[in-house]
Amino acid sequence: MSIQMDRIDHVVLTVTDIEATCRFYAKALGMNVLSFAGGRKALTFGAQKINLHKAGEEFEPKAANPTPGSADLCLVASVGLAEFMAHLKALGIEILQGPVLRTGAMGPLRSVYFRDPDGNLIEVGSYD
């Protein structure tokens, strides 16, 4: 028998300020904020979920070394990259690099890079 994974269900970000993170991801990336189980927060988009843990108050079990600013995420935009870049510019979010050509899970991807409030590297790409 050959075991294979179907998809990622969720990932966890350890953050300094959950409310600031929720505001940033909702405004900059159009994600929805979900409250669940005991007031915990998550970010949702499509069929994806990012659970949020406050640094020092992580939910058990947790990563061996949960650290704000240690993530590097790549997301795929539902709009063209030029439109997304204009959106970031209107919000005053600095683009660190891009657009650049990268290789995504489904092939060539044009991407831009910026940081969230904790310094996590966020890559947003578009398959042309």
Side-chain angles (χ1 to χ4, degrees), residues 102-116:
R102 297 292 188 243
T103 302
M106 297 174 26
L109 183 73
R110 283 181 1 120
S111 297
V112 295
Y113 293 84
F114 54 98
R115 295 198 186 277
D116 76 0

Side-chain angles (χ1 to χ4, degrees), residues 25 69-74 96 113-116 119-123:
Y25 280 81
S70 64
D72 183 340
L73 304 175
C74 179
L96 302 173
Y113 293 84
F114 54 98
R115 295 198 186 277
D116 76 0
N120 292 304
L121 184 64
I122 308 299
E123 175 185 354

Side-chain angles (χ1 to χ4, degrees), residues 31-121:
M31 293 185 185
N32 300 304
V33 177
L34 172 71
S35 295
F36 67 104
R40 293 177 58 202
K41 299 278 187 179
L43 304 164
T44 64
F45 59 102
Q48 316 306 311
K49 185 170 89 151
I50 301 173
N51 287 345
L52 301 175
H53 287 184
K54 182 172 172 56
E57 300 174 17
E58 296 86 0
F59 184 79
E60 295 289 345
K62 63 181 186 267
N65 298 298
T67 307
S70 64
D72 183 340
L73 304 175
C74 179
L75 307 166
V76 177
S78 64
V79 298
L81 205 53
E83 183 178 344
F84 182 73
M85 291 172 65
H87 170 71
L88 291 180
K89 183 177 180 181
L91 293 175
I93 297 171
E94 178 187 1
I95 294 173
L96 302 173
Q97 190 178 78
V100 294
L101 188 59
R102 297 292 188 243
T103 302
M106 297 174 26
L109 183 73
R110 283 181 1 120
S111 297
V112 295
Y113 293 84
F114 54 98
R115 295 198 186 277
D116 76 0
D118 283 301
N120 292 304
L121 184 64

